Each structure stands twice: as structure tokens, then as C-alpha cells.
Amino acid sequence: MKLDHIDTPAALIDIARMQKNIARMQGRMNALGVAFRPHVKTTKCIDVVRAQIAAGARGITVSTLKEAEAFFAAGVNDILYAVSIVPAKLPRALALRRQGCDLKLAVDNPTAAAAVAAFGDQHGETFEVWIEVDTDGHRSGITPEQHTLLEVGRILHDNGVNVGGVMTHAGSSYELHTPQALAALAEQERAGCVRAAQRLRDAGIPCPAVSVGSTPTALAVGQLEGVTEVRAGVYVFFDLVMHNVGVCALEDIALSVLATVIGHQADKGWAILDAGWMAMSRDRGTSRQSHDFGYGQPCLLNGTPLAGYVVSGANQEHGILSLTSSSASGDEGGHADDIAQRFPIGMKLRILPNHACATGAQFPEYHAVSPEGNSVEWRRFQGW
Amino acid sequence: MKLDHIDTPAALIDIARMQKNIARMQGRMNALGVAFRPHVKTTKCIDVVRAQIAAGARGITVSTLKEAEAFFAAGVNDILYAVSIVPAKLPRALALRRQGCDLKLAVDNPTAAAAVAAFGDQHGETFEVWIEVDTDGHRSGITPEQHTLLEVGRILHDNGVNVGGVMTHAGSSYELHTPQALAALAEQERAGCVRAAQRLRDAGIPCPAVSVGSTPTALAVGQLEGVTEVRAGVYVFFDLVMHNVGVCALEDIALSVLATVIGHQADKGWAILDAGWMAMSRDRGTSRQSHDFGYGQPCLLNGTPLAGYVVSGANQEHGILSLTSSSASGDEGGHADDIAQRFPIGMKLRILPNHACATGAQFPEYHAVSPEGNSVEWRRFQGW
């Protein structure tokens, strides 16, 4: 289908940009000599993941058991569920293992470790568990020097659980914006995770995998000694937050929302779009960054960004397109009533999102667009 | 199913609270002598809408053609699509009319009005169109005194389109928080919409329906002379934004997210939940209000709010539960390491959301919970 015929709002994937992003990340990982395990929470789409695997990815990372179930059903076997498991979720994990899925669980506390061991013992299943390490104080995990690290390792190892490795995610990288700061955090992430693995091994606990990653640190890291694999998710599409972090150009962003101009408030300099926050998501991640993109960066249908314009406001099904405040007061501003002439009723635009993971989640399907402008539907799933 | 057995995160509807909210709104509308047309964009759920209709609602309001199609297929006939139509969407609107749906369209500009007239003429279909009126400068619509109002009315009326009425939505009511200010805006909304209808009628253009509404103005308005119907959506669930606006108690909020404690960072005073922004949505609507509820208000499983605690941060599948900053520094603070004892791994909580429309949209289904604690699944749909 041609872009002109797609009902709006719609989520578009620029296939050429996506393939370029995949090749860039996989090429870096190949050069660094580590395996790459993409995080599929960004897309929840088997077509995208097939492209990542075709480029060389080994296994996937998931953030929900539904992702694990859906991707296993689609033929992916090596799956890391990278959120600390709780007892009530073990039956679903067991069911996947019993079907032959090479599912690896994660824990970051003794209670969860003991629960996995007891449940495995009860059901005669040898679970594989990775221990989550905290290398930047950002969220969850055990810090490398904490006593709890060895305690958790022992609970698992001494009770018949296969300790598969350690994993960390330096999510605070999203708050940085210089190559130097990113490289320093990437080294901190690497060193902390390798140190945790070493402590486990020194205590006689096996720790084959050492898994690190976030999109910014994966693209900034200089060397990965001691690391066996990297995980990253949003790189496959990139977004405006990643642009502000400094790891992609606007022209690399592969996800956009196709929208139509449905009205104007000329005296306010507004064009009204049929893409509100239900389409863009409520993510305002760029509001804390150097460049606030509002609810998104408008572009022409061919992908060219409309400099000086922004989606400045959003209701559920209405977006407000206007000049940025600096453009409105500056020379490039023009007259307010130009808005209706420049953006007539029915005109279609593409809006780059703040956060690809959040925007994609608003849609039941993507329209994947070829360089020739033809599109096919790629389903994505929702829920847990 | 009992609450204990529902996989987390999950969206719960407290049926008793929902029915109380429905009865409250419908009772007000009955007392004011107007019809009530609920906005179903909040729930996108036929089970909820059946309860609204059973209580006396006449017709529904939708924000997308997909809602119109889904609710018409489920047996609802009288549907107002309250977003200004664009030419590319007319074929889907025509298909609904041809199937017997009493679909009413909305326009707020001459281009759209002319497009509907021309398309109707071309296909031999008499569309019904309502003119959107702007009574508070909040978003779209034509102000009551604008010349464009009569221009649009004439384009429609003179070209065989059935002008069904005028409609307005004082969405700026969400920014208020006193009964006086809400009542004043409600009167402004009423008077502006009635004035627009009068101007059309004075010009010889029929205008049977005069439709106003938003949840806060509908609950604050003193009299509705000249108005034929009211529309409101979020009242059916309410949420923390509405609580801050002052139109509901915490105990009225019928939507919550069931979550499980999956870890701790005791030194930071954090319990980690498996409800992050993918479950709560990225909506931070209370951040601009008198009480900032972070990503949500945690409650016990029985619905009792946990005073002094808040979901203070969120990643995609991780929420951070902590003391509010005022509680952490005050007497009720307690010790940071109490967090793991008070909220042990596996404990389930219910989180009240900032914005019910945004949070509901993150889930493919609700779990509707009876006063006895049993739940049934109510599907909701996604997309456009």
C-alpha cells in the first residue's frame, strides 16, 4: 500500500533506516568481539526481530513473559527474561521450559533465588538464572561488591539451579549527552559486571555469561574485555530522546507517526492533527533534555524534518502543530495565519516520536515502508 | 477468578465504584433534564458501555472511527464522532451509514464542511454533521461569534447535509480545581454553545442538538437551559487528575493497576514493582496540579490508599514505590530499610492511575472485580 492510502494515525517503520540501524549495532558488536542479544520490548514485532537475527543477533532479551511466549511461538529459542522473577510467575516460566524454550530467568534478591530453587526442585526442572547486577544505581540489581551477590549465587548454585551468568543495564545513560560521559559510563557498566562475575567465580560459582548494555553505552563503549554479550533495544528505531543523548541523527529515526491535518486555530498559529497522545504516547522524555521536542518533530511525508515546528500539545486524539517558541519569536517565524496555508486540511505529515518504545506500544500494527514508498503491515502485540 | 490469581500487571475495574460513578452522572443529567451521551474513548469496552446505556445513556460519543465501528458492531446505533472529519475518512463513515449506523460527524471549518457535502452528493448519502464550537480556547472549534460559524452552517445546509446540531467541549476544565471556577466555566460552555445554536437558527439553519460537556463541567454545572445533551468520559472511572480537580474522592476511582513487588533497593527506600510506565502509561497529568502523584497512588489489595507512599519513578516494566518526599523527611517517614519488610517480594498492590484514559489504553483487557472479589475479563480494543 502507498503512504497516501494509509488511514491516520498510523505507525510507520522506514525499513531502510531500520536496516541501517541494525547493521550499525551488529557491526559494532562484531568488531568488539561479543554476541548481541537485542531487547525486543521496543518493537514486540516478529518481523523486526527476524531482521535482527538475520543480521547476526544471538538470542533475544524480553521484559515480559508474554514477549517470551510470543517470540518462542514464532521460533526464537534463546530468550533472557531480564526482569527479576517473582514466585507467581514461575508456572508460566516452567511451561515455556517444558515446551523446549531455552528461557533464562533473572533475580536480584535471595527471596526470588530461593523461590526459583524450591519451585524447580518441586517440579524437577533445572532453571537457568542470571543474576542482575547494579552498575549505576539506576534501578534494580545487586552492586558488585555487595555480600548479597554471593548469597544469591550460593542459594542458586547449592540448590540445583544453573547460574547462567550476570547481567546489568546502565539505564542512567539516557540522562547523559556527551561522548565522554557515555564512554565513562559504558566502562563503569563493563567493569562492574565483569567484577561481579569474577567474585562469583572466585567463590566457586560458575558464571559463563557476562551481559551488559543499553543503546547509548553499547554505541559508546571502547572495549568489552570480559564481556560475552551486549543487549540493547531502542537502537533499532532510535528516537528523539536518543538524538538528544547524541547517538543518532534525526535522519536515523526509523519510527514515525503518520498524521493528517484536521483543522486550524489560525489566530494561535495552530494546525490541529489527528495524532494526539493516544498515537504519540504521553512520553515527554525530551522535556528534561537539551532540546524539548514537545510531543514530536513534524516532518514532510518524504521524511524531511520541518525545522522550527513542533507538536506542542496533545489531547487524546488531537495534536497541536505550531512553531517552536524560539521560531515564533524569531525571524523565521512568519505570520500566524500562514499556518492554514502551509498545512492545509487533509495534508499528511510524519511525526518523529520522543520515545520509540512508548509510541510503538500505542499501535496494534506497524506499516513498514520500503524505499519505493510501498508499505506492508507488521503486527505487534500488547499486554502481559 | 480471585484477585490473588490474576497475573500482574493487570488493569482492574472495581464494578461497585464504576456503577456508583455511572449512577451519579446519570442522576445529575436526569435532574438537569438533559440527555447524556457518554464518551467511550475512556474505556473502549462494550461491557462498560452497556452499563452506561442500562443506566439511561442515550447514544455514545467516539473519538475514532474504529470506536464507531466496534460499538456499532456491538449494537450501539446512535454515535457522534466528535473529531473534525477529513476527506480521507469519509469512505469509512459512509460504510457505517450504509450499514444503518446513525453516525453523526463533526466539522469546525469550511473545507471539511464542503468535503462532506461533495462526498455525500457524489454517493447519494445525506450525512448528519454537528458543528464544533470553541467555548474556552482550549483546542479546536469555531467561536460562537465568528463569521465562520454561519459560513460552515450554510455550506452544509445549502448542499444537502443535515445540520444536526452544535457541540463543544470545555477541556480547559481539567486545569481548574475550585467549585466556583468549574461552575463559571460550565456556564461559559453552556452559554457559548447555546449562543452558537441561536445564531445558526437565526440564520435559518436548523440546529436541533446543543451538546456540551467534560467530566468536571458536567459535575459542576448549575443549570443547562438551551442544552439538549451532555457528554463526558472519564467520570466512569475517575482518576487522580480528576481527584485534584476536585470532582471525586480517591475512594471513587474505579480503575487501578494490580502490581507485584519484585525487588528492593533498601538503602534508597525503594520497593520495585512490575508495573512500570508500560502499565501505568507515561501520563504525568498530576505533575502540574496541587498534589503530584508521581506515576500513581499505591493502595492495599482491598483498595485502601497507602498514605505517604507514591510510585515515584517508572521504567518500561519497573515501577519504583517509595515514600513521598514530604513523608520521607517528616515524622511518618520511618527507616529506609523498613521498605523490604513492609512490602515483601511477591506482595500485590493496586495502583490508582493519574489518567484513566491513558492507563486503560495500555491493556488489552480489564479484570472487572465484583464486591465479593471475583473477577471477569472485559475486553477493550486498541488502534484506529
Side-chain angles (χ1 to χ4, degrees), chain B residues 141-195:
Chain B
I142 309 168
T143 56
E145 304 299 340
Q146 236 173 305
H147 170 70
T148 317
L149 178 72
L150 299 185
E151 185 189 349
V152 167
R154 278 222 183 79
I155 291 171
L156 295 169
H157 185 59
D158 295 352
N159 291 284
V161 178
N162 176 13
V163 180
V166 285
M167 51 150 287
T168 193
H169 165 62
S172 62
S173 60
Y174 282 45
E175 289 149 38
L176 306 177
H177 54 90
T178 67
Q180 296 75 14
L182 287 170
L185 182 61
E187 170 55 19
Q188 177 182 321
E189 183 185 42
R190 181 203 70 79
C193 204
V194 169
R195 168 72 182 148

Side-chain angles (χ1 to χ4, degrees), chain A residues 1-6 11-13 15 258 366-378:
Chain A
M1 195 187 275
K2 288 285 180 185
L3 275 194
D4 274 354
H5 297 100
I6 297 174
L12 305 185
I13 296 174
I15 296 176
L258 187 69
Y366 303 104
H367 296 267
V369 184
S370 71
E372 297 75 34
N374 298 311
S375 80
V376 291
E377 221 175 275
W378 288 357

Side-chain angles (χ1 to χ4, degrees), chain B residues 4-279:
Chain B
D4 274 354
H5 298 100
I6 297 175
D7 283 348
T8 59
L12 304 185
I13 296 174
D14 182 317
I15 296 176
R17 292 183 181 189
M18 180 192 86
Q19 290 289 13
K20 185 183 161 205
N21 297 338
I22 290 173
R24 177 182 169 199
M25 181 65 83
Q26 189 65 52
R28 271 191 68 81
M29 295 305 116
N30 295 346
L32 288 161
V34 294
F36 181 58
R37 182 190 290 280
H39 205 316
V40 302
K41 74 183 178 71
T42 300
T43 69
K44 304 200 187 195
C45 173
I46 188 65
D47 303 276
V48 175
V49 173
R50 284 202 182 112
Q52 292 170 306
I53 290 171
R58 283 188 247 161
I60 61 171
T61 315
V62 301
S63 66
T64 64
L65 283 170
K66 182 155 182 180
E67 290 163 49
E69 290 158 354
F71 285 103
F72 176 67
V76 182
N77 196 50
D78 177 357
I79 301 178
L80 169 64
Y81 172 39
V83 177
S84 192
I85 193 81
V86 281
K89 292 181 181 172
L90 284 167
R92 279 172 76 183
L94 178 66
L96 276 167
R97 301 269 309 178
R98 288 275 160 88
Q99 291 170 67
C101 178
D102 179 16
L103 179 70
K104 302 128 168 44
L105 304 178
V107 302
D108 77 345
N109 63 81
T111 307
V116 175
F119 189 83
D121 190 49
Q122 191 185 338
H123 294 87
E125 178 68 32
T126 304
F127 281 103
E128 177 174 344
V129 171
W130 294 21
I131 302 173
E132 185 177 1
V133 177
D134 177 8
T135 51
D136 70 342
H138 156 250
R139 183 169 73 197
S140 41
I142 309 168
T143 56
E145 304 299 340
Q146 236 173 305
H147 170 70
T148 317
L149 178 72
L150 299 185
E151 185 189 349
V152 167
R154 278 222 183 79
I155 291 171
L156 295 169
H157 185 59
D158 295 352
N159 291 284
V161 178
N162 176 13
V163 180
V166 285
M167 51 150 287
T168 193
H169 165 62
S172 62
S173 60
Y174 282 45
E175 289 149 38
L176 306 177
H177 54 90
T178 67
Q180 296 75 14
L182 287 170
L185 182 61
E187 170 55 19
Q188 177 182 321
E189 183 185 42
R190 181 203 70 79
C193 204
V194 169
R195 168 72 182 148
Q198 198 52 54
R199 286 194 69 215
L200 286 164
R201 291 168 187 152
D202 289 350
I205 300 162
C207 184
V210 180
S211 176
V212 304
S214 74
T215 286
T217 52
L219 292 172
V221 74
Q223 58 91 12
L224 283 172
E225 198 185 332
V227 166
T228 63
E229 68 163 41
V230 168
R231 307 178 327 280
V234 76
Y235 80 95
V236 70
F237 288 160
F238 285 123
D239 53 29
L240 296 168
V241 165
M242 286 297 113
H243 175 63
N244 275 334
V245 169
V247 294
C248 73
L250 284 183
E251 291 68 26
D252 295 326
I253 300 176
L255 181 70
S256 61
V257 173
L258 186 69
T260 302
V261 176
I262 63 167
H264 303 95
Q265 295 289 349
D267 55 329
K268 295 179 181 135
W270 293 355
I272 310 290
L273 307 176
D274 66 354
W277 60 252
M278 185 61 82

Side-chain angles (χ1 to χ4, degrees), chain A residues 7-9 41 44 63-64 66-67 83-84 86-89 92 108-109 111 134 137-141 260-263 265 268 270 272 274 277-279 282-283 315-318 320 345-346 355 357-358 361-364 382-384, chain B residues 7-9 41 44 63-64 66-67 83-84 86-89 92 108-109 111 134 137-141 260-263 265 268 270 272 274 277-279 282-283 315-318 320 345-346 355 357-358 361-364 382-384:
Chain A
D7 284 347
T8 59
K41 75 182 177 72
K44 304 199 186 196
S63 67
T64 64
K66 182 154 182 180
E67 290 162 49
V83 177
S84 191
V86 280
K89 292 180 180 170
R92 280 173 76 183
D108 76 346
N109 62 81
T111 308
D134 177 9
H138 156 248
R139 184 168 72 195
S140 42
T260 302
V261 176
I262 63 167
Q265 294 288 350
K268 297 180 179 131
W270 293 356
I272 310 290
D274 65 354
W277 61 252
M278 186 61 82
R282 270 293 198 194
D283 199 290
N315 295 134
Q316 185 159 336
E317 299 292 351
H318 297 78
I320 295 174
I345 303 277
H355 188 171
C357 308
Q362 304 298 101
F363 293 85
Q382 187 197 26
W384 290 265
Chain B
D7 283 348
T8 59
K41 74 183 178 71
K44 304 200 187 195
S63 66
T64 64
K66 182 155 182 180
E67 290 163 49
V83 177
S84 192
V86 281
K89 292 181 181 172
R92 279 172 76 183
D108 77 345
N109 63 81
T111 307
D134 177 8
H138 156 250
R139 183 169 73 197
S140 41
T260 302
V261 176
I262 63 167
Q265 295 289 349
K268 295 179 181 135
W270 293 355
I272 310 290
D274 66 354
W277 60 252
M278 185 61 82
R282 270 293 197 194
D283 198 289
N315 295 132
Q316 185 159 337
E317 300 292 349
H318 296 77
I320 296 174
I345 302 278
H355 188 171
C357 308
Q362 304 297 103
F363 293 85
Q382 186 196 26
W384 290 263

